[in-house]
Amino acid sequence: MIDQQLFHGYATLILIIYVIYDLIRNRKKEHSLLRRFVFYSFIYYMINVIKLTLLPIMFIPFTVSVQLVPFYFVIDSLNSGYIATAYLQNIILLLPLGVYLPLLFQRLRNLKLTIFVAFLTSTSIETIQLIKGLTIGSHRTFNVDDII
């Protein structure tokens, strides 16, 4: 099993080593230090997105859960009287992506393009969760509402 904390620890250590290397290598260049730190924080954000959405990897084949009914959680939450926290969690998870993309990439300063990239990111996460569940096993759920 590939554990969330193990992945997070190694990925963070590699990022710290890269940051030190990059700062030493580019200390005399005129690159904006603030821009580089925004990039480093973006990488750290992506490490956490991977940790929260794709891990742990459990190697238990054929344990997949698929929810293909659009807005199922909204209807379920209205019927039961509680707010679906999954929607709120997904918004909190992907909101920083909508901030980072225009800051780091000139081409993505277009709102439509940024929304499209966020949609592709969400779709990719759900697709990887589905493929993991069908192949090596996962306790994650493919949920069409997460893409919407």
Side-chain angles (χ1 to χ4, degrees), residues 96-145:
L97 185 65
V99 174
Y100 276 120
L101 292 176
L103 281 175
L104 292 172
F105 306 103
Q106 186 76 23
R107 288 190 64 207
L108 295 176
R109 295 203 173 146
N110 179 342
L111 181 62
K112 289 180 183 177
L113 195 54
T114 302
I115 291 171
F116 180 69
V117 171
F119 170 77
L120 284 179
T121 302
S122 179
T123 303
S124 298
I125 289 169
E126 292 301 313
T127 304
I128 291 169
Q129 287 176 346
L130 178 63
I131 292 169
K132 273 181 50 194
L134 291 172
T135 56
I136 61 175
S138 175
H139 73 281
R140 302 287 179 188
T141 303
F142 176 86
N143 190 341
V144 72
D145 287 342

Side-chain angles (χ1 to χ4, degrees), residues 49-135:
V49 167
I50 292 168
K51 176 184 116 177
L52 293 171
T53 59
L54 302 178
L55 297 174
I57 298 174
M58 300 177 74
F59 303 108
I60 307 169
F62 308 112
T63 56
V64 65
S65 177
V66 178
Q67 195 288 105
L68 297 174
V69 179
F71 303 110
Y72 174 78
F73 285 126
V74 171
I75 295 166
D76 189 42
S77 67
L78 290 174
N79 290 336
S80 65
Y82 70 91
I83 298 173
T85 58
Y87 286 113
L88 185 59
Q89 290 169 344
N90 285 331
I91 290 169
I92 292 170
L93 181 75
L94 290 178
L95 188 64
L97 185 65
V99 174
Y100 276 120
L101 292 176
L103 281 175
L104 292 172
F105 306 103
Q106 186 76 23
R107 288 190 64 207
L108 295 176
R109 295 203 173 146
N110 179 342
L111 181 62
K112 289 180 183 177
L113 195 54
T114 302
I115 291 171
F116 180 69
V117 171
F119 170 77
L120 284 179
T121 302
S122 179
T123 303
S124 298
I125 289 169
E126 292 301 313
T127 304
I128 291 169
Q129 287 176 346
L130 178 63
I131 292 169
K132 273 181 50 194
L134 291 172
T135 56

Side-chain angles (χ1 to χ4, degrees), residues 22-30 36:
D22 188 53
L23 289 174
I24 291 170
R25 192 180 106 222
N26 295 314
R27 67 181 173 267
K28 293 186 180 182
K29 293 190 178 179
E30 293 183 21
R36 290 201 335 244

Side-chain angles (χ1 to χ4, degrees), residues 31-39:
H31 296 289
S32 167
L33 189 60
L34 178 62
R35 181 173 170 80
R36 290 201 335 244
F37 276 110
V38 169
F39 177 73

